[in-house]
Amino acid sequence: MKNCCLINTKLPFVNDLKTIIIDENQHIIDITDHQDLSDQNVIDLQGDYLSLGGVDLQINGGLGLAFPDLDQRSLSKLTEICQYLWSVGVDEFLPAIVTTSLDKIRQSINIIREFQEQKQPNKSARIRGIHLEGPCLNPAKKGAHPAPFLLPLNLENIKKIIGENEDLIKIITLAPELDPQGEVIPYLVKKGIIVSLGHSLATAEEAKRAFEKGATMVTHAFNAMPSLHHREPGLLGEAVTREGVYCGLIADGQHVAPTMLKLVLQASRYGQGIFVVSDALAPMGLTDGVYPWDERQITVKNGTATLPDGTLSGTTLPLLQGAQNLFDWGICTVDQAIDLVTDAPRRALGLATFQVGNGGGFVRWSVKNNQLTWQRMDN
């Protein structure tokens, strides 16, 4: 798709159909009400929606490769993963390195840095940076994270974990109640790293202090944290009602029941502080079955992964499936569902959304038989 004009285009939360002019580098050069079709390759979207591709801020691996296990042999597989993610509608993503040894964390970071320095093929999702999910998490809410590698939350450990990689690390998930002195969050914010609260037993008051010190995100809301309670709203209650805080949601229907997804989306005014993540594990892109995961095994059934004791450990469903689910379940409008996987995560990272000058990849969305479907515009 080069130097083209997309007419009769629906944009999320825009009433009138628009004409979108896209240059040969896949960037938006105009959004207009007019249809000047001279010297243009014209595509009629017939009222279908157009968006940028998705941005996945929490993805643990794919095609059999877990991001905490990266080594030199992983470079070609990373290329395959990026191409696969592009094919399922993702423009950019943050590889999540979950709790493991410091040596493995450093090795994975180094491999991702080396990978980013290489030229990648067209139609490949871009690695925007890294999401460190741990290892400074509350042991009581560790979920599937291996207990032997959890670390106390203090400046000394944070400096060891980050090293000289603050330019590459975009998000770090931590349990704020483990740092009663409150030194870590301001340190990370000063380094330009987004602090996300998760795997935590933080009370509403502890969460409030963390947000006041600069935390701006919550990792997989509802999961690995206390439930909402009418007398103790906890971390989640404080986050959802606080302006400027973004909560990630897993929309597979298993990690969070659809009714609770609807509740939190309504409470947050649908997308004002909410985005969807896949939380996809290494078997993403493979069939259901039993797969190795660190020193353990996970069972994948219908896209949901569990440990042998039944602990939820993630999904294998691609990001855009979350948008389809939310629409198909009657929880979101088309506009809202698309926004939650495309522009909302971009806002959470401070990136440009669908506007003149931005681009990279485009997705066409339509509703057929009351189901939301999509396709890459450049396929």
Side-chain angles (χ1 to χ4, degrees), residues 159-199:
K159 290 176 181 179
K160 288 179 182 177
I161 295 163
I162 293 173
E164 301 299 321
N165 297 300
E166 61 262 29
D167 63 320
L168 197 54
I169 298 169
K170 300 302 179 185
I171 301 173
I172 183 166
T173 294
L174 53 79
E177 70 275 16
L178 303 183
D179 177 27
Q181 303 304 316
E183 297 177 327
V184 170
I185 292 176
Y187 174 82
L188 291 168
V189 171
K190 189 175 181 179
K191 292 285 186 181
I193 297 172
I194 294 171
V195 176
S196 187
L197 309 186
H199 290 274

Side-chain angles (χ1 to χ4, degrees), residues 67-303:
F67 295 137
D69 296 333
L70 297 179
D71 57 26
Q72 283 293 324
R73 297 168 296 178
S74 307
L75 290 169
S76 60
K77 179 62 74 171
L78 277 173
T79 298
E80 293 178 34
I81 291 171
C82 289
Q83 291 175 308
Y84 168 76
L85 288 173
W86 181 269
S87 76
V88 294
V90 174
D91 281 359
E92 299 186 84
F93 68 105
L94 299 187
I97 301 176
V98 297
T99 301
T100 185
S101 69
L102 287 179
D103 285 343
K104 290 189 71 174
I105 291 173
R106 293 187 187 110
Q107 177 172 285
S108 293
I109 291 173
N110 290 337
I111 294 299
I112 291 171
R113 185 179 296 281
E114 182 176 346
F115 178 78
Q116 285 194 304
E117 292 171 351
Q118 299 178 353
K119 182 176 176 57
Q120 298 303 316
N122 292 330
K123 299 184 180 180
S124 293
R126 176 189 174 193
I127 294 178
R128 168 62 65 168
I130 292 170
H131 181 162
L132 289 182
E133 190 182 351
C136 299
L137 310 176
N138 193 314
K141 285 293 181 180
K142 63 181 177 56
H145 290 247
F149 297 120
L150 295 175
L151 293 176
L153 180 60
N154 55 51
L155 279 178
E156 180 182 1
N157 282 334
I158 286 294
K159 290 176 181 179
K160 288 179 182 177
I161 295 163
I162 293 173
E164 301 299 321
N165 297 300
E166 61 262 29
D167 63 320
L168 197 54
I169 298 169
K170 300 302 179 185
I171 301 173
I172 183 166
T173 294
L174 53 79
E177 70 275 16
L178 303 183
D179 177 27
Q181 303 304 316
E183 297 177 327
V184 170
I185 292 176
Y187 174 82
L188 291 168
V189 171
K190 189 175 181 179
K191 292 285 186 181
I193 297 172
I194 294 171
V195 176
S196 187
L197 309 186
H199 290 274
S200 167
L201 283 174
T203 64
E205 186 60 34
E206 288 169 329
K208 179 181 178 181
R209 287 198 295 268
F211 293 135
E212 288 173 346
K213 288 182 177 296
T216 57
M217 198 173 285
V218 172
T219 296
H220 46 51
F222 286 105
N223 299 115
M225 63 187 63
S227 300
L228 285 172
H229 189 278
H230 58 287
R231 285 192 296 270
E232 176 46 70
L235 163 58
L236 183 56
E238 181 66 26
V240 171
T241 57
R242 191 178 187 88
E243 190 171 348
V245 173
Y246 289 87
C247 298
L249 282 177
I250 304 171
D252 65 343
Q254 299 297 318
H255 283 74
V256 184
T259 298
M260 297 305 287
L261 290 171
K262 184 175 182 179
L263 184 150
V264 76
L265 283 164
Q266 286 184 338
S268 64
R269 300 175 304 283
Y270 278 94
Q272 301 302 310
I274 300 290
F275 59 89
V276 168
V277 297
S278 72
D279 198 24
L281 299 178
M284 182 184 61
L286 307 178
T287 59
D288 283 0
V290 179
Y291 294 94
W293 197 64
D294 56 49
E295 304 301 321
R296 300 165 288 177
Q297 289 186 324
I298 52 172
T299 298
V300 178
K301 184 177 181 180
N302 298 325

Side-chain angles (χ1 to χ4, degrees), residues 1-3 22-29 358-362:
M1 189 173 67
K2 295 183 177 180
N3 296 322
I22 299 173
D23 69 14
E24 60 183 3
N25 295 315
Q26 302 294 286
H27 288 90
I28 302 166
I29 58 176
N358 202 8
F362 297 92

